[in-house]
Amino acid sequence: GRPFHRSTMSYSDFLAFRKSLGRTPHLARQTVRARGIDFAVFSTPPVGKAPPLVCINGGMLYDHSMLWPALSPLAATRQVILYDQRGRGKSSAPASPADASIEDDAADVGAIRRALGVRQWDVLGHSWGGGIAMLATAGDTGGVRRLVLVDPVWSSSAWMAPLRAAVLDRLHGEQRAAVAHISEESLGNPDPALHSEYSRAVYPAWFADAELASRFVPPHATSVTGAAVLARLRRDGYDWGERVRALSTPTLVIHAERDPLPLADSATESYIAAAEV
């Protein structure tokens, strides 16, 4: 479809928008056992006959609060389900966190669906969560009705260098220096503190408004499991192109024109062209 254009949102604009939405819905928490992990799962009440929408946060180190309450308006018309990925937030860690991979995170999604007794749901993935969502859908096609990708990583690791260049171009002064002193090569080290520092350093590049950036700084979250997954992806690279191109799940891709991460690589674009958007 045609791109949507609007002026930059200020923090006061954001506050006015949030107040117009009313009170944030309640999230009920439960523990769900799947694939040897005790997952902290959070959900809003069911709405009508629409299937649930499970939301997968990005960041790899963070819990469901990266998306909640930002996505709470969706609960007006859909049951929203969020969860903490293995070894993050309130979910238990695997027996060997250092061996964790994004394939583990992807396989968890369908396992959680089955453990909840949900026949079919829609899947939303943001950033790195978009990668998990793509892989999860490829491994659970019958359980996913529709897929939503919000600012997703590409189907190959070719985005990493362009993103770093775009981030450094957008930041200045101390903010730029905070990113520059952490080399891409060093991120192959599964050090939770290093990956947390880098995540917080690059975050301001996604905001056109400096006050908004200062209000939404990520927490000092660390995760041995998440850092191991990130380090492996950055050190070894990845290519999910074949699996992504094979998907026929109806898909919506949401991506801002001024996002520092370019829209997609050719494999993802081929999938988007083939899917019903």
Side-chain angles (χ1 to χ4, degrees):
R2 296 172 59 187
F4 173 73
H5 297 271
R6 65 147 291 147
S7 59
T8 301
M9 176 180 282
S10 67
Y11 183 63
S12 60
D13 292 334
F14 172 78
L15 287 180
F17 169 70
R18 287 300 300 165
K19 289 178 180 178
S20 73
L21 299 177
R23 180 173 296 181
T24 299
H26 172 70
L27 275 182
R29 175 183 169 182
Q30 61 181 307
T31 299
V32 174
R33 182 78 174 175
R35 303 185 70 236
I37 303 294
D38 290 325
F39 288 97
V41 177
F42 307 83
S43 57
T44 60
V47 180
K49 296 182 179 180
L53 173 67
V54 63
C55 301
I56 306 172
N57 64 274
M60 286 297 192
L61 305 175
Y62 303 105
D63 63 19
H64 72 284
S65 63
M66 286 293 286
L67 294 182
W68 190 266
L71 297 186
S72 62
L74 299 176
T77 56
R78 299 290 296 276
Q79 181 182 35
V80 176
I81 299 176
L82 305 101
Y83 69 97
D84 293 345
Q85 295 155 24
R86 57 171 55 208
R88 291 83 143 184
K90 301 298 183 182
S91 292
S92 64
S96 180
D99 295 330
S101 70
I102 195 171
E103 283 77 14
D104 292 323
D105 290 322
D108 290 340
V109 180
I112 292 171
R113 178 186 64 78
R114 293 186 289 271
L116 289 170
V118 174
R119 186 183 68 82
Q120 194 176 51
W121 59 13
D122 295 341
V123 176
L124 180 152
H126 170 247
S127 189
W128 272 116
I132 296 172
M134 285 188 276
L135 294 175
T137 300
D140 188 32
T141 54
V144 180
R145 188 186 68 151
R146 293 172 181 162
L147 175 63
V148 182
L149 302 174
V150 182
D151 183 30
V153 296
W154 296 358
S155 60
S156 80
S157 53
W159 59 270
M160 294 181 183
L163 175 61
R164 182 179 179 88
V167 167
L168 290 172
D169 184 60
R170 290 181 180 213
L171 300 180
H172 305 280
E174 293 182 359
Q175 288 185 336
R176 188 182 191 281
V179 175
H181 94 277
I182 301 175
S183 69
E184 195 70 24
E185 292 73 20
S186 69
L187 294 172
N189 180 347
D191 177 1
L194 176 67
H195 284 277
S196 179
E197 180 184 357
Y198 188 73
S199 294
R200 287 170 56 84
V202 300
Y203 206 71
W206 270 264
F207 293 85
D209 183 87
E211 186 179 7
L212 270 174
S214 68
R215 299 278 186 169
F216 293 97
V217 178
H220 286 283
T222 57
S223 166
V224 173
T225 307
V229 175
L230 276 173
R232 181 169 289 107
L233 289 165
R234 290 186 175 279
R235 181 179 63 245
D236 301 338
Y238 67 88
D239 187 349
W240 311 320
E242 186 174 347
R243 280 180 280 180
V244 169
R245 280 190 292 267
L247 284 173
S248 59
T249 306
T251 301
L252 170 66
V253 179
I254 301 174
H255 194 282
E257 285 187 315
R258 297 174 62 190
D259 197 293
L261 175 64
L263 177 58
D265 62 348
S266 58
T268 308
E269 287 171 347
S270 296
Y271 164 52
I272 293 169
E276 177 186 329
V277 178

